[in-house]
Amino acid sequence: MPSSPTLLSVTPGDREATLEFAAPPSDGGSPITNYQYSTNDGATWTARQPASTATSFTIGDLVNGTTYRVRIRAANLIGDGVASNAITVRPQTGSTPPVQV
């Protein structure tokens, strides 16, 4: 399974958050096919749709004013990788800087 990617930043927007991250240093023996994200510190995971290996994407359908603890992980044919570091973000109209943890 892939090692942990590094979550570099999470930028809040209006009902969304844009993630920037560095790919994991190891794919665990199989090419990475997609990334998954969690907005509740890894309790549940959602695969990107459509699948993509790009290192930037936007999570939509968030509630403005709600605080989310975001993590990502890589996935491949071997399995789901190790979760990244977490960054806390609060989407809202008129963005403010995210809190990095």
Side-chain angles (χ1 to χ4, degrees), residues 43-85:
T44 59
W45 294 91
T46 302
R48 289 173 68 177
Q49 293 293 330
S52 174
T53 59
T55 57
S56 175
F57 66 96
T58 299
I59 300 170
D61 297 325
L62 301 177
V63 177
N64 285 344
T66 300
T67 299
Y68 296 92
R69 192 161 164 86
V70 178
R71 292 182 185 267
I72 57 169
R73 66 184 181 187
N76 62 18
L77 294 177
I78 296 172
D80 299 331
V82 179
S84 71
N85 55 305

Side-chain angles (χ1 to χ4, degrees), residues 1-4 23-33 35 74-79 81:
M1 80 178 82
S3 61
S4 175
S26 171
D27 62 14
S30 178
I32 293 169
T33 56
Y35 286 93
N76 62 18
L77 294 177
I78 296 172

Side-chain angles (χ1 to χ4, degrees), residues 7 14 19 25 40 51 58-59 76 96 100:
L7 193 52
D14 184 9
L19 287 61
N40 55 13
T58 299
I59 300 170
N76 62 18
T96 58
Q100 296 197 17

